[in-house]
Amino acid sequence: MNNSGNSADGKKAEGSSSGLSPRACIALAVFSSCFGATFVFGYCISVLNSPRQKIECFFLRTWLSSFTLKNSSIDRGAFLDNCIKEEQLSDRLSSRDDNRLRWMYTMTQVVWVVFAAVGGFMTSLISERFGRRTGLVMANVFSVLAAISIAPTLAANLPIFVYITRALSGLHNGLTIPMTSMYVTEIVPIRLRGAIGSSGQLSITIGIFVGGLVGLEQALNREKYWVVAIALSGLPSLVSSIALPLLPESPRFLYLNKGDEAAAKQAVQRFCAPAEVDEAMLALRSEKVKMEQQEAAEKFSIGTLFTSKRYRMALLITLVLVVVQQLSGINVVMQYSSIMLENTGVQKSTVPLVTLGVYALNVLSTIVALPILEKFGRRLLLLLSLAIVLVSLVALLIVSQFTPKSFSTATATQKALSGVACALVFIYVVGFAIGLGCITVMYISEIFQQKARGAANSVAMGVLQTSNALVVLTYYTLEKSLGHFVYLIYIVPVTAGLVFLFFFMPETKNRSTDDIADELSAKLGGPRTGAGDQQKEVAAADAMKTAKSSTAEQEAD
């Protein structure tokens, strides 16, 4: 064991936050990491939703030669001078060109999600080599570059800059979401892990709401200002990059990955109350012993997640969680709500406000879920969440068969059913927020031990964003071909996930990572770590060392 450690890591661990109390240090660390990562992720989800027609109109003007307008009498110059309103686009274009235009917009979402998946698969490489906090600072560079790259879009009349910006934003989001979860989970005491560990999801919902707010016509949803809305995503990452270096690195990373006990203890002292420091260091020493024993028996690599019985059940639960979370259709609601609500007969003029209401409810539901998370546990809330989502999707499938295509031609009964459909969307959002939304990423960090946590989060984020890409890429086509029966596509995985998790998902509330890992390993006949016995042995060894030291001092006197 390296007690001297790296002096650089030691200095970084303490940082410039030594004057802060442990609670203040945790609060600043959580805010800085979430504001520059998960908040930005949420913002990027919704910021293109309301300005969709502005963006499509921009694509149409810049690539006008690729389209055939129905009415040949339209003056090209008048069109380029914004004389044709966005809401008239569908009437002025042929069906083929309208589809092409919609795909151009859809690809802004697809590019973002694909690069987020790439970033997710790269998380382990960066977080294990450079650390959680330093990795977040490095990843924030992509967000700042994204904000810069959108600047020449309108001046150059080149839509390619929109795609470049979304690609860089996606890379940043994919890298930072799992690293934020790891950093926050590793710096807080077990008793606070549930509520604080879910703060990342809360900041995502706040980011979604702010993105929707910025997208209102009264704000930046204007002809020449929607690019400003996109560029604003770089500001939180810039603030985060300034604040994070002032905070300690994860003590678990410093001790278990770097072997620097002195730096780890300094970090623990910054994040824990004085009475909790010895207990936290004891837990780290116990896990270090266990890791060394495991490494002697089996060298870990990302492939070990798939081949070792020790991790197989935890990985299976992880994959089910992230796939079901995305295939439940949540990003259809968050990214395509303007299309989805219009298709259920909601009046077009009210769609932005209804969308903003959905975002606001998402925030409020997450806030309500955080305190009850520690009271009722992860398992119960996740199962309840899946049940509410399933029931609301089935109800939407039924009600949407009778909603009008257009609000202006709807009967009173159809308008009432449109209101019911809107209410079901709100119920769906509440159901998602209290479990699938706020627990999934934190739960993954809880069920994997330190050695496997980075790789597991990397695989989880990659699969999550790949599933997200599948939903985003197929929604428009499925909606066109299946109509309201598209909800069946989301009902099936939610049902399967509910059944699987009911039988195999353990509770993690107030349990150590080693204890959880032992239970999951035993489900498929894998080895137990005996972490509890090891911790007692480490505690006994520490007590013996203290007694010997005390005896030596008495003899010297």
Side-chain angles (χ1 to χ4, degrees), residues 395-463:
L396 269 171
L397 172 64
I398 297 170
V399 172
S400 61
Q401 306 304 316
F402 306 99
T403 56
K405 279 292 184 181
S406 173
F407 185 85
S408 59
T409 59
T411 64
T413 302
Q414 288 178 322
K415 289 178 180 179
L417 288 173
S418 292
V420 172
C422 281
L424 289 171
V425 171
F426 280 102
I427 294 171
Y428 168 92
V429 169
V430 171
F432 182 90
I434 64 172
L436 281 173
C438 69
I439 296 175
T440 299
V441 176
M442 178 197 68
Y443 188 88
I444 294 167
S445 291
E446 287 185 325
I447 63 176
F448 284 95
Q449 296 160 305
Q450 181 73 15
K451 180 174 63 172
R453 188 172 295 130
N457 273 277
S458 184
V459 170
M461 181 52 59
V463 173

Side-chain angles (χ1 to χ4, degrees), residues 26 184-198 252 271-273 276 279-280 282-284 287 373-374 378 442 445-446 453 508-516 535:
I26 288 176
V184 171
T185 302
E186 291 176 6
I187 66 175
V188 299
I190 290 179
R191 59 186 173 81
L192 300 174
R193 195 172 59 194
I196 295 181
S198 296
R252 297 179 70 86
F271 289 125
C272 294
E276 297 175 330
E279 182 182 353
L282 177 63
L284 287 177
E287 191 165 351
L373 183 59
E374 287 301 333
R378 287 61 152 154
M442 178 197 68
S445 291
E446 287 185 325
R453 188 172 295 130
T508 60
K509 173 189 171 185
N510 293 333
R511 297 177 64 187
S512 69
T513 305
D514 297 327
D515 183 31
I516 299 165
Q535 187 159 338

Side-chain angles (χ1 to χ4, degrees), residues 173-470:
N173 297 150
L175 284 167
T176 55
I177 298 301
M179 275 195 280
T180 300
S181 176
M182 285 188 282
Y183 183 59
V184 171
T185 302
E186 291 176 6
I187 66 175
V188 299
I190 290 179
R191 59 186 173 81
L192 300 174
R193 195 172 59 194
I196 295 181
S198 296
S199 56
Q201 179 61 28
L202 176 60
S203 69
I204 289 176
T205 63
I206 295 173
I208 292 172
F209 176 75
V210 173
L213 197 62
V214 168
L216 292 176
E217 290 191 357
Q218 294 86 343
L220 294 177
N221 185 7
R222 304 180 189 182
E223 194 62 40
K224 295 185 179 180
Y225 292 105
W226 57 269
V227 292
V228 177
I230 297 175
L232 288 177
S233 64
L235 185 59
S237 298
L238 184 61
V239 172
S240 175
S241 296
I242 295 171
L244 280 173
L246 306 178
L247 294 158
E249 177 60 86
S250 160
R252 297 179 70 86
F253 171 79
L254 292 169
Y255 188 67
L256 301 177
N257 293 66
K258 290 292 187 181
D260 192 342
E261 184 174 358
K265 188 168 185 178
Q266 287 179 350
V268 168
Q269 289 169 341
R270 297 305 311 133
F271 289 125
C272 294
E276 297 175 330
V277 172
D278 290 340
E279 182 182 353
M281 290 305 298
L282 177 63
L284 287 177
R285 294 189 189 104
S286 172
E287 191 165 351
K288 181 72 171 178
V289 171
K290 177 196 62 188
M291 282 180 60
E292 290 172 347
Q293 291 176 350
Q294 290 178 358
E295 287 172 358
E298 178 184 51
K299 188 172 181 180
F300 182 83
S301 66
I302 198 167
T304 310
L305 286 174
F306 299 91
T307 58
S308 174
K309 287 185 178 180
R310 185 190 308 279
Y311 305 111
R312 199 169 294 165
M313 178 55 72
L315 180 64
L316 185 57
I317 291 173
T318 294
L319 295 179
V320 169
L321 272 174
V322 296
V323 169
V324 171
Q325 187 199 55
Q326 294 305 307
L327 296 191
S328 67
I330 184 61
N331 281 316
V332 171
V333 176
M334 297 301 167
Q335 293 175 254
Y336 292 111
S337 60
S338 59
I339 299 174
M340 180 182 175
L341 291 171
E342 287 174 15
N343 288 342
T344 57
V346 177
Q347 194 171 4
K348 282 189 177 183
S349 61
T350 63
V351 165
L353 293 178
V354 175
T355 298
L356 194 63
V358 169
Y359 296 160
L361 184 62
N362 193 24
V363 176
L364 293 175
S365 301
T366 304
I367 292 173
V368 170
L370 293 184
I372 66 175
L373 183 59
E374 287 301 333
K375 184 176 182 180
F376 297 105
R378 287 61 152 154
R379 174 183 165 83
L380 177 61
L381 283 181
L382 271 170
L383 295 177
L384 178 63
S385 171
L386 281 163
I388 295 174
V389 167
L390 178 59
V391 170
S392 58
L393 284 173
V394 172
L396 269 171
L397 172 64
I398 297 170
V399 172
S400 61
Q401 306 304 316
F402 306 99
T403 56
K405 279 292 184 181
S406 173
F407 185 85
S408 59
T409 59
T411 64
T413 302
Q414 288 178 322
K415 289 178 180 179
L417 288 173
S418 292
V420 172
C422 281
L424 289 171
V425 171
F426 280 102
I427 294 171
Y428 168 92
V429 169
V430 171
F432 182 90
I434 64 172
L436 281 173
C438 69
I439 296 175
T440 299
V441 176
M442 178 197 68
Y443 188 88
I444 294 167
S445 291
E446 287 185 325
I447 63 176
F448 284 95
Q449 296 160 305
Q450 181 73 15
K451 180 174 63 172
R453 188 172 295 130
N457 273 277
S458 184
V459 170
M461 181 52 59
V463 173
L464 184 149
Q465 294 297 352
T466 301
S467 302
N468 189 7
L470 181 64

